[in-house]
Amino acid sequence: MNFDRVRLSNFKPYGDADLRLTEGVTVIHGLNGSGKSSLLEACFFALYGSTALDGTLDDVITNGEEETEVELWFTHDGASYHIERRLRAYDGRIDHQCTLEATDGSDVTRDGSRSVREFVTELLRMDAEAFVNCAYVRQGEVNELINASPRERQDTIDDLLQLGKLEEYRERAGDARLGVEDVRNAKRAVLEDKEAQIDEKAEKDLHDRLNALEGKRAEVTDEIERYENQREQAKNTREEAEETLATHEEKRSELESVNAEIDEIETAIREAERKRDERREEISEARERIDEIESRVGERLDSTGLDAATDAAIADRREALD
């Protein structure tokens, strides 16, 4: 990766600094305590946050100030990014804000110190300790390297690059590989045993299926013979059915004739019932007139005193109507 630009505001000895790094080698020199290490530490802090600091967040804010800001522009694997971190001290606490965004037109964004740190760790495939050890040799370590024996120099370099951890991981991977090999062999033995059981069961199932099929074939043969007998019986009864069908047709013709006669009779009955109803209405009306006449006659009898002969004549008339 390449650092393209770093801008500082109230970060340790830097009140306001803006450094642009062009292609080639950049050399930063100065007296001890002039801020060379602080400039690198600001870059590490921009990438990984507080995990890349030698001290605490309180230590990076310039004395007498309440806020500090670090911005870093860098390029990695052809993509460009910009990280901005802001610290603000109040009531004995530090408010830490951090954002990351791509500057090459892609939609990569992260918000929050932890989210940015995780993204950078995954992007560079190194955590803060590994990155700092690979990119930075602290004061005094150079002299140790110069004055050390070859063995001591190798140990120091291994510690800086964390090669000891790499060797530890390699040993763990080897142990894990042996463990996986043992598990694989055990699983393979189990698999072979299961395959043998499957073959044995499959062979047994074949014999069982053969016996079942033989029994089913005998059943099917019996059914065929029964169907043959039924077919012969059906041939014999087909002629009887044809004769019955002819008789059925004759009876159907007779039934149609009878139905026609029934329809005529029903029509005549309905006509007779209609006339009967008419006669009943006429009788009802006649009775009503008789009742009216009787009522009038009664009144006259009461007034004129008619004899019993008249009453008998009226009774005869009523009987005739009934």
Side-chain angles (χ1 to χ4, degrees):
M1 67 172 297
N2 292 325
F3 292 153
D4 301 321
R5 179 186 176 188
V6 57
R7 193 183 71 81
L8 308 178
S9 176
N10 300 327
F11 185 88
K12 288 194 172 183
Y14 293 95
D16 188 9
D18 191 348
L19 176 62
R20 298 176 184 271
L21 304 173
T22 59
E23 295 182 0
V25 178
T26 300
V27 178
I28 300 174
H29 63 91
L31 299 175
N32 291 340
S34 61
K36 301 185 299 298
S37 299
S38 296
L39 184 61
L40 287 176
E41 190 175 10
C43 296
F44 302 153
F45 170 66
L47 292 172
Y48 292 99
S50 60
T51 58
L53 296 175
D54 288 335
T56 65
L57 293 176
D58 293 323
D59 298 332
V60 304
I61 301 177
T62 303
N63 292 334
E65 301 293 339
E66 296 182 352
E67 295 183 355
T68 186
E69 181 179 356
V70 175
E71 292 184 79
L72 177 66
W73 289 261
F74 69 96
T75 303
H76 177 72
D77 198 18
S80 301
Y81 304 92
H82 170 232
I83 299 178
E84 181 179 5
R85 291 184 183 269
R86 294 176 181 271
L87 301 179
R88 181 174 179 272
Y90 65 97
D91 296 335
R93 299 173 56 188
I94 300 294
D95 179 42
H96 186 182
Q97 299 179 358
C98 180
T99 59
L100 176 146
E101 61 180 359
T103 59
D104 56 3
S106 59
D107 58 352
V108 177
T109 58
R110 294 292 186 277
D111 188 14
S113 177
R114 181 176 180 179
S115 178
V116 172
R117 181 176 67 252
E118 291 176 349
F119 176 81
V120 171
T121 300
E122 183 178 357
L123 179 69
L124 303 181
R125 304 193 181 194
M126 287 187 289
D127 59 11
E129 182 180 2
F131 184 83
V132 171
N133 288 335
C134 290
Y136 178 50
V137 179
R138 293 174 178 81
Q139 294 179 2
E141 292 178 348
V142 176
N143 291 333
E144 291 180 3
L145 286 174
I146 294 175
N147 298 324
S149 65
R151 180 61 184 175
E152 292 173 343
R153 188 179 299 116
Q154 183 64 45
D155 292 340
T156 302
I157 294 174
D158 289 348
D159 291 339
L160 289 174
L161 299 181
Q162 295 182 338
L163 296 181
K165 291 184 178 180
L166 181 60
E167 186 63 28
E168 180 182 353
Y169 294 151
R170 183 181 291 112
E171 292 177 358
R172 290 181 181 179
D175 295 339
R177 182 180 60 80
L178 294 177
V180 170
E181 186 69 23
D182 293 339
V183 173
R184 186 177 66 177
N185 292 334
K187 295 297 182 182
R188 181 176 296 168
V190 173
L191 179 60
E192 292 176 353
D193 181 61
K194 293 297 182 183
E195 289 178 348
Q197 294 179 10
I198 291 172
D199 293 338
E200 181 180 357
K201 190 175 185 309
E203 184 177 356
K204 181 179 179 181
D205 291 342
L206 289 176
H207 290 294
D208 294 340
R209 288 180 60 189
L210 179 61
N211 294 331
L213 291 174
E214 289 290 345
K216 189 174 182 180
R217 184 176 65 178
E219 294 177 358
V220 172
T221 301
D222 294 339
E223 290 181 358
I224 291 174
E225 292 178 355
R226 185 172 66 254
Y227 291 148
E228 290 290 341
N229 295 330
Q230 292 177 356
R231 184 176 64 178
E232 292 297 328
Q233 294 176 0
K235 288 181 179 180
N236 296 330
T237 57
R238 182 175 60 182
E239 295 179 356
E240 297 176 0
E242 290 177 351
E243 294 177 357
T244 302
L245 182 60
T247 304
H248 174 71
E249 291 295 334
E250 294 176 358
K251 297 299 181 181
R252 177 180 293 178
S253 298
E254 295 178 1
L255 178 61
E256 291 177 354
S257 177
V258 172
N259 287 335
E261 294 178 2
I262 291 174
D263 291 339
E264 293 177 357
I265 294 172
E266 288 179 347
T267 301
I269 290 173
R270 287 194 295 270
E271 180 65 22
E273 289 178 347
R274 183 183 63 79
K275 291 181 179 180
R276 184 190 62 187
D277 293 338
E278 290 178 354
R279 295 295 180 270
R280 284 179 178 176
E281 291 178 358
E282 292 175 356
I283 292 170
S284 178
E285 291 175 358
R287 285 179 177 176
E288 290 178 357
R289 287 197 298 272
I290 290 171
D291 291 339
E292 184 179 353
I293 292 171
E294 286 179 348
S295 177
R296 292 177 182 177
V297 170
E299 292 176 357
R300 289 182 181 181
L301 288 176
D302 292 338
S303 61
T304 59
L306 294 176
D307 55 13
T310 304
D311 292 336
I314 293 173
D316 292 340
R317 180 61 177 170
R318 181 185 293 274
E319 184 178 357
L321 290 175
D322 291 337

